[in-house]
Amino acid sequence: MLRPCSHGAEKYGIDPAQWRAHMCGLCLGLRDGQGQLARTATNTDAIVLSVLTEAQSAAPMRRTTAGRCALRGMRRAEVAAADSPGVLLASTASLLLGSAKIRDHVEDCDGSVLTRRPMGRVSTRWANGARVHAGRIGLDVEPLVAAIGSQAELEVRSSSVDELTGPAQRCAAEFFGHTAVLAERAENVEPLREAGRHFGRIAHLADAVEDFDDDRRDGKFNPLSATGTTLPAAYDMLRESDSALRRAVAAAGLRDVPAVRWMLLDPLTSVIRRLGAGTSTGHSCGSARRPGGSSTPARRRDRNRGWAARQCFDVGNCFADCCKDCRGDRRRSRGGGGGSDCGLCDCCCDC
């Protein structure tokens, strides 16, 4: 969900390699703790935990020199140390969420029957790995494991969106709050727990909005359909949580920290804007068209796609999801932003 754009780094005068430093540190931390396969659990949203920890700490996070990697074009890089507290927290979150995702697939009988038992073993191993990482930084993950495990029961009996998003809210709240514990900023624990609660709510609702049409077509569970919540109502909840999150981040004194604005607040602005374009028309964002918007001709679209690949970045080496993932009917002129008109997408910047 969090997809920082390189233009934002330029705007705040920070090195865009900071994102890669935290991401690669997380990836290598997972490898060192759980083996090569665990690197696939790298959760880019969890990177914000490492960023928040560093933003509150008295000194910058220690960096180490990483070896050559195909995802960096076979270049070395200075990355966040895999054993630093912020990276260990991000690793805990990635393993815990990855384990839950795999378990869901196993319980839903996805894939071949031959793969389910190995997938189950991977899920168990990652959950145990999350406990090991959490123990090194003084985080009790058992309540979080229980909260995640309660999701299936909630989907059977709950008729409230807030109840259904409760496990996501609780997990994100504890992870966000623990960044303050690691940075020894006790006064920030409660504000960041509040920010985390709303981050978890946004993440769950955003997923529900984006999957709304597909879930309805495929007969799958969707918290909006299950509770009779309309898409415009869901968008109102998203905006409400976005505002509350920003107030909490401000209360923690982090609102004006460039890295936090670039890696957390600006990407959330992009998410809310993108989802709002869909919910305002009564359709999910995958088929959304902003009022007054128009499609970009194919030739210009292809040319701009190459431009985006050069300018922005993401997990690979690293091209912006905020540009790369846009569908053709969302590549429209931004207008009124004061920047040049790239006609690409609802990016978080004024490109």
Side-chain angles (χ1 to χ4, degrees):
M1 184 171 67
L2 300 181
R3 300 164 176 175
C5 177
S6 62
H7 293 85
E10 297 170 7
K11 178 172 64 176
Y12 297 122
I14 59 180
D15 184 357
Q18 284 192 45
W19 173 259
R20 186 179 63 187
H22 287 281
M23 179 182 67
C24 293
L26 170 57
C27 180
L28 295 175
L30 290 168
R31 180 202 65 184
D32 293 348
Q34 299 298 315
Q36 293 287 355
L37 181 61
R39 300 174 79 174
T40 62
T42 301
N43 185 309
T44 53
D45 285 352
I47 295 171
V48 76
L49 300 174
S50 181
V51 173
L52 286 172
T53 303
E54 183 174 49
Q56 297 172 84
S57 300
M61 188 177 294
R62 185 169 60 88
R63 300 293 199 264
T64 60
T65 301
R68 303 181 188 279
C69 176
L71 297 182
R72 291 193 300 269
M74 299 308 295
R75 293 189 296 270
R76 297 181 182 275
E78 294 298 311
V79 307
D83 60 351
S84 58
V87 172
L88 288 172
L89 182 61
S91 299
T92 300
S94 292
L95 289 169
L96 200 60
L97 297 174
S99 171
K101 185 73 171 178
I102 292 175
R103 188 175 65 249
D104 286 345
H105 284 302
V106 172
E107 292 175 353
D108 291 343
C109 298
D110 293 338
S112 168
V113 66
L114 299 177
T115 65
R116 289 172 198 156
R117 182 173 294 178
M119 288 172 63
R121 287 198 294 266
V122 170
S123 175
T124 301
R125 186 163 64 248
W126 285 4
N128 291 335
R131 292 182 174 93
V132 172
H133 282 286
R136 295 176 63 184
I137 54 175
L139 175 65
D140 181 11
V141 295
E142 295 309 323
L144 309 185
V145 172
I148 293 173
S150 70
Q151 187 69 51
E153 181 184 352
L154 287 174
E155 291 178 359
V156 171
R157 64 174 177 79
S158 179
S159 59
S160 163
V161 170
D162 275 334
E163 283 188 4
L164 287 171
T165 61
Q169 292 185 47
R170 178 167 188 181
C171 289
E174 290 306 312
F175 283 127
F176 271 55
H178 205 68
T179 65
V181 174
L182 296 177
E184 299 181 345
R185 295 284 298 274
E187 70 277 13
N188 283 353
V189 172
E190 286 308 315
L192 286 178
R193 278 180 178 157
E194 179 69 6
R197 273 191 286 272
H198 288 284
F199 182 85
R201 190 182 192 220
I202 290 171
H204 200 134
L205 285 173
D207 186 62
V209 170
E210 290 190 316
D211 293 345
F212 186 81
D213 288 341
D214 290 341
D215 288 344
R216 182 169 56 183
R217 183 189 64 240
D218 299 337
K220 293 184 177 180
F221 178 88
N222 186 287
L224 303 183
S225 299
T227 58
T229 304
T230 65
L231 288 171
Y235 182 60
D236 287 341
M237 295 178 193
L238 285 165
R239 288 193 301 176
E240 175 188 83
S241 282
D242 182 58
S243 297
L245 181 148
R246 292 171 191 276
R247 288 194 298 271
V249 169
L254 299 174
R255 180 181 59 186
D256 296 323
V257 175
V260 174
R261 292 190 63 85
W262 179 49
M263 297 187 197
L264 173 62
L265 300 181
D266 285 358
L268 283 178
T269 297
S270 180
V271 169
I272 300 301
R273 179 190 298 124
R274 176 169 53 86
L275 294 176
T279 55
S280 64
T281 60
H283 298 284
S284 68
C285 64
S287 59
R289 187 182 298 274
R290 179 179 294 178
S294 60
S295 298
T296 305
R299 182 175 297 177
R300 181 184 177 194
R301 193 161 60 235
D302 291 341
R303 182 171 65 249
N304 282 336
R305 187 180 298 121
W307 176 88
R310 292 191 299 274
Q311 295 295 324
C312 301
F313 54 91
D314 118 61
V315 175
N317 184 43
C318 296
F319 308 123
D321 286 344
C322 61
C323 292
K324 185 179 68 175
D325 281 355
C326 286
R327 302 296 180 260
D329 59 358
R330 290 213 309 276
R331 291 192 172 91
R332 63 184 66 77
S333 171
R334 284 178 54 83
S340 60
D341 177 13
C342 75
L344 263 171
C345 60
D346 299 328
C347 210
C348 52
C349 62
D350 287 330
C351 63

